[in-house]
Amino acid sequence: MQRYAQQRIVAAALAAAALVVGVSEAQALRPTNPGHPQSYGVEARYLDSTGGHVRVWYVTEGEHRSPRVAEDGETPEIADMVAEVGDDVFEAMATHGFRLPLVDSELYPTSADDGGDGRFDIYLINFEAGDGQFVPEYCTSESPERCAGYAMLDHAFMPLYYPSRELAVKIVVSHEIFHAVQAAYRADWPGWASEGSASWYEELVYPEQDDFERLTGYYFEDSARSLNDRARGPSDGFSYGAGIFFYFLDVVFGPEMIVAVAERFATSETIEDALQAELLDNFSEADDAVELFAIYNLFTGELAGEGEGYPQAERFAGVEVVELPGDGAFNWEQNVDAFSARFARWEVTVPMTLTPVEAEGWPAARLALIRGGQQENDGYESLEVGDTVEVGPEDSPVYLVASQGLEEDAVISAQGRVLREDPQVPSNDGRDEEGGGCSQAGSGSTSGVVWALLGLCLMGRRVRRKR
Amino acid sequence: MKLKYAWMCAVLGAGLMVGCGESSEQEEPTVIETDAGDEDVEQIGEVDDRDALAELPCGEEMLADWPLQEEVSDASVEITEEGGVFTATLDASAGGTQGAASNPFVYLNLTTGEKAELNDVEAALSEGWHLGFKRFIIRSNSGDSGPGGVLVTKVSNTTFEEVDSVPGNPEAYRTDDTYDASCTPELDPIGTPMTAFNYLNLDNPSGSQSWYSYGGGISPVAGDVYVVRDPEAGVAYKLEITGWSDGEFELRWAELN
């Protein structure tokens, strides 16, 4: 059921002489052409959507025949569905402020098959594996290239992997059209950003589907891995799981943040550069956003709290959390690769201290400490190397989030020690000092203060999802 | 230490900063005396060598192509020893046909007669193993697979008992020379990166180019006994693959004098 990765079959780089000035030439074929590897082999029909955005191609006989075609040649149900959903997705794309896919008829050389007009062409074929693919064909010759193309979708969407055919169409049509939108900004989106943002878009326009949640599972089961890691092996779904990061941006800032990142990427060296630049417009450091992203991810699954963090955060699988001893000394040391995080839970039963230290030969990861107990506190604390903070049973459970920004790999090294106070000097737990803090902070359940503050970030945002 | 509502205020913007103080700095706690005795300190987690591996020649390719995993295999390895002959049942089936790539190799130390508790990344930098197993793949700690310098050769049309000396022809030995100079992997007929156990079997009649016969299933080639040398340690072992079923190896080995 995994969708095909966006594949460039375009041979733009090999173009010898463009037929149309400013457009790269390619040997592109569509399923209506006998030379296409998945050629229909019979005469194809098409259905134009009422909204005018898409043209859905199908056949009524042969191996790519769409089911549920009446004997009188009535359009297959699946084609109607795809056309309607296609229009809806285009409308939603415009509403959210994204560029629309490049129009093939405006970009293609006159000799090329553009499907007959400027509508976005969707071909229903019998996929042997996967269920959708966007195929970029012709690209602008500017740098970076932008491309127009078409999509192929499964001809039947037998509801084996999805709850219903209708939901399957919504999921795959929104996903593949988003790939076409990406190509309108530039053609070379890295896998994690390409598949991640396309998976997130499914959630944005059709929150009732659970494909997005399923795909985020690839991230949650491997949350110590760099979010922008390259694919490893042919069936690596991690890039789809990166959709959780785009969802995070959406929850905190709204979809306009992803629009802004895409626009900036159109003129930036890398997607990471674009992302960092946009985050710096909203955070004092881009790494702050990665830290907050990590905290959101911690409070998912079994740690999800009512009304906290992501909407309905319990629908996500949860991250791996190591347990730290609450009554004895420990050293917590782990790699924290770039754009990743590690998590720990600390059930403190005696007064203890925590001190981040340098790990030889490694940059130090960021360390956030969240007091989950009932004592009044001041939000979460970001510890730096050399800081020492006291915690006690009243703070339990304490959560530690080690995160690292996009630049380089790091290590978290933190020392927990049992506190024995010098009777000659009064103790100071350092958490009731003047000089800082939001007055909104107060007591609450696990991480209540964090969410009380973050709640302000979320004020005014709708909770789209109701299950 | 900084209390992080400072950046939250930045996110919220000036209009939402009500209640936020000016300073985010806190004085450090005072009066701390801790039980810093090293013997009492529990170690949580570990720092692995993935980055060190990535810096090796073709390290990035190895990570991606096998692909190497950062978990230690929890597979069952049952080993018995009698009269100097070790017999093992080694379960390298994890993940099955579809999921093997996301499971780690199972590493075996022929000297200790034990499973080596290493993940793939650690193994690539460790001399603590001789052979690694996954499904039908056998790697040796040599060449691109590891720093162990292990050499492997094969004696055909023989029996385990008949092999009683170390073949002396150095050209008969192979290593895991998986990558060429441009870090492109050499692949066997089914696309698996090549190891010493491939190079020793390029003429396998079944066409597998590996230690097994392929035809209606996978089975060891009768009469093949491998010799595994660890020159640095000055030891050599004869090894026979006596059985294979769905990723579970039956092995026996003994030291050669």
Side-chain angles (χ1 to χ4, degrees):
Chain A
M1 183 185 43
Q2 181 175 326
R3 272 168 298 291
Y4 283 118
Q6 175 180 333
Q7 297 176 344
R8 295 198 66 208
I9 65 167
V10 62
L14 302 175
L19 297 177
V20 175
V21 175
V23 178
S24 300
E25 181 184 5
Q27 299 300 315
L29 299 173
R30 298 188 173 193
T32 44
N33 187 303
H36 190 277
Q38 290 159 298
S39 166
Y40 282 143
V42 296
E43 186 177 354
R45 304 179 182 189
Y46 64 81
L47 169 69
D48 287 339
S49 65
T50 55
H53 294 292
V54 301
R55 171 168 288 181
V56 184
W57 294 83
Y58 62 93
V59 291
T60 56
E61 54 184 326
E63 65 171 314
H64 297 292
R65 171 185 179 275
S66 288
R68 300 197 185 184
V69 179
E71 290 183 359
D72 61 0
E74 184 184 339
T75 307
E77 176 193 32
I78 192 80
D80 277 327
M81 220 179 266
V82 168
E84 184 179 344
V85 171
D87 272 348
D88 290 345
V89 170
F90 266 80
E91 294 297 331
M93 211 71 78
T95 301
H96 292 128
F98 285 104
R99 297 182 187 180
L100 295 181
L102 296 184
V103 176
D104 52 7
S105 62
E106 295 178 2
L107 185 66
Y108 284 29
T110 52
S111 60
D113 178 7
D114 59 9
D117 66 4
R119 295 167 189 261
F120 184 73
D121 295 291
I122 299 175
Y123 296 84
L124 303 182
I125 68 165
N126 184 4
F127 268 91
E128 292 184 354
D131 48 22
Q133 181 183 7
F134 169 68
V135 182
E137 286 187 298
Y138 287 88
C139 305
T140 62
S141 59
E142 65 199 23
S143 180
E145 288 180 337
R146 299 182 301 128
C147 299
Y150 66 91
M152 296 188 293
L153 264 60
D154 190 67
H155 69 137
F157 285 109
M158 299 298 289
L160 296 175
Y161 305 112
Y162 297 107
S164 70
R165 180 176 278 115
E166 181 182 4
L167 214 46
V169 168
K170 288 179 175 177
I171 290 167
V172 183
V173 169
S174 60
H175 189 103
E176 300 307 333
I177 291 180
F178 196 79
H179 281 319
V181 167
Q182 290 167 343
Y185 291 90
R186 59 190 291 172
D188 58 347
W189 285 61
W192 74 272
S194 172
E195 297 301 347
S197 58
S199 300
W200 156 77
Y201 196 73
E202 299 172 14
E203 175 74 0
L204 182 67
V205 290
Y206 296 114
E208 68 272 23
Q209 51 72 41
D210 61 3
D211 189 57
F212 167 73
E213 285 79 3
R214 182 184 65 80
L215 293 171
T216 62
Y218 289 112
Y219 166 77
F220 282 102
E221 70 182 20
D222 204 4
S223 55
R225 182 172 165 184
S226 295
L227 195 79
N228 58 345
D229 194 16
R230 63 179 179 171
R232 297 178 186 172
S235 58
D236 186 2
F238 190 77
S239 61
Y240 294 84
I244 190 66
F245 181 70
F246 294 93
Y247 182 66
F248 162 76
L249 296 177
D250 176 13
V251 167
V252 174
F253 299 106
E256 54 269 29
M257 174 57 113
I258 295 88
V259 174
V261 170
E263 288 289 351
R264 198 181 283 261
F265 181 40
T267 56
S268 298
E269 187 74 18
T270 67
I271 185 79
E272 286 82 3
D273 290 343
L275 187 57
Q276 299 223 55
E278 284 302 321
L279 291 174
L280 278 173
D281 285 350
N282 296 281
F283 294 85
S284 56
E285 296 178 47
D287 292 1
D288 288 336
V290 177
E291 184 173 63
L292 182 58
F293 171 55
I295 293 173
Y296 266 66
N297 292 334
L298 171 63
F299 294 106
T300 56
E302 293 181 353
L303 292 180
E306 187 68 27
E308 300 175 345
Y310 295 123
Q312 292 86 46
E314 66 279 3
R315 67 198 150 113
F316 299 116
V319 294
E320 180 181 356
V321 181
V322 300
E323 291 284 342
L324 301 178
D327 59 357
F330 65 84
N331 292 339
W332 180 35
E333 287 192 318
Q334 285 188 298
N335 299 78
V336 186
D337 290 348
F339 211 171
S340 80
R342 300 272 190 172
F343 307 91
R345 185 178 187 276
W346 192 9
E347 194 68 49
V348 183
T349 58
V350 299
M352 293 187 69
T353 63
L354 184 80
T355 305
V357 297
E358 290 275 8
E360 187 177 349
W362 292 90
R366 283 169 163 255
L367 182 61
L369 182 146
I370 302 159
R371 300 171 194 269
Q374 298 299 310
Q375 176 170 312
E376 181 175 342
N377 52 45
D378 300 316
Y380 82 82
E381 299 144 59
S382 187
L383 308 183
E384 297 175 354
V385 169
D387 287 341
T388 296
V389 63
E390 297 175 28
V391 295
E394 69 278 10
D395 299 312
S396 283
V398 172
Y399 292 96
L400 300 177
V401 178
S403 64
Q404 179 64 5
L406 281 66
E407 297 291 343
E408 58 184 344
D409 294 345
V411 160
I412 180 60
S413 182
Q415 297 177 344
R417 298 291 184 267
V418 174
L419 177 63
R420 294 192 178 90
E421 295 182 357
D422 183 342
Q424 302 301 314
V425 185
S427 174
N428 176 356
D429 69 6
R431 287 183 282 111
D432 296 323
E433 292 293 314
E434 296 178 353
C438 293
S439 59
Q440 294 93 334
S443 61
S445 59
T446 301
S447 70
V449 173
V450 174
W451 302 115
L453 289 164
L454 299 184
L456 292 176
C457 301
L458 307 179
M459 277 196 319
R461 280 194 51 73
R462 70 207 180 289
V463 176
R464 294 189 304 271
R465 187 179 188 85
K466 292 294 181 186
R467 301 184 79 187
Chain B
M1 175 179 65
K2 294 180 180 177
L3 297 179
K4 292 308 290 184
Y5 32 75
W7 69 261
M8 291 179 189
C9 295
V11 172
L12 296 171
L16 292 175
M17 288 178 65
V18 178
C20 294
E22 290 295 322
S23 169
S24 61
E25 296 292 342
Q26 289 278 355
E27 290 185 12
E28 290 190 8
T30 58
V31 198
I32 296 171
E33 179 183 336
T34 60
D35 53 344
D38 289 343
E39 66 278 9
D40 297 328
V41 177
E42 184 176 348
Q43 188 69 27
I44 308 295
E46 60 183 350
V47 176
D48 70 44
D49 294 319
R50 168 172 284 275
D51 286 298
L53 175 60
E55 291 171 6
L56 291 178
C58 305
E60 291 281 1
E61 287 76 13
M62 287 173 57
L63 287 166
D65 292 339
W66 283 112
L68 302 184
Q69 303 296 328
E70 292 181 88
E71 302 88 43
V72 177
S73 168
D74 60 1
S76 164
V77 180
E78 296 177 6
I79 301 175
T80 60
E81 185 269 332
E82 184 174 349
V85 178
F86 291 88
T87 303
T89 300
L90 185 150
D91 182 2
S93 65
T97 303
Q98 299 299 321
S102 57
N103 282 273
F105 280 82
V106 183
Y107 294 94
L108 186 62
N109 187 311
L110 300 178
T111 303
T112 62
E114 294 176 344
K115 175 185 172 187
E117 298 291 340
L118 298 166
N119 68 38
D120 292 339
V121 174
E122 293 166 340
L125 299 163
S126 168
E127 298 178 358
W129 60 283
H130 293 104
L131 301 175
F133 300 83
K134 184 195 286 191
R135 296 292 296 169
F136 48 81
I137 304 167
I138 306 177
R139 296 164 65 212
S140 65
N141 192 346
S142 64
D144 294 309
S145 288
V150 167
L151 302 170
V152 187
T153 190
K154 181 180 73 169
V155 183
S156 299
N157 302 313
T158 188
T159 66
F160 186 76
E161 290 75 17
E162 285 176 357
V163 177
D164 57 5
S165 63
V166 179
N169 179 9
E171 294 183 358
Y173 289 88
R174 295 289 181 271
T175 56
D176 282 17
D177 297 321
T178 303
Y179 292 96
D180 66 14
S182 63
C183 291
T184 301
E186 305 288 346
L187 303 176
D188 72 7
I190 57 172
T192 305
M194 302 273 274
T195 73
F197 283 82
N198 293 109
Y199 293 116
L200 291 167
N201 293 287
L202 295 177
D203 58 353
N204 186 305
S206 73
S208 72
Q209 294 188 8
S210 191
W211 58 268
Y212 56 84
S213 286
Y214 184 73
I218 286 176
S219 57
V221 176
D224 282 357
V225 175
Y226 293 89
V227 174
V228 181
R229 287 179 58 200
D230 183 346
E232 193 163 319
V235 295
Y237 303 90
K238 57 180 177 179
L239 172 94
E240 183 179 17
I241 304 165
T242 56
W244 186 93
S245 177
D246 199 24
E248 186 173 273
F249 285 84
E250 300 285 346
L251 307 167
R252 62 173 169 167
W253 72 93
E255 185 173 350
L256 289 169
N257 297 314

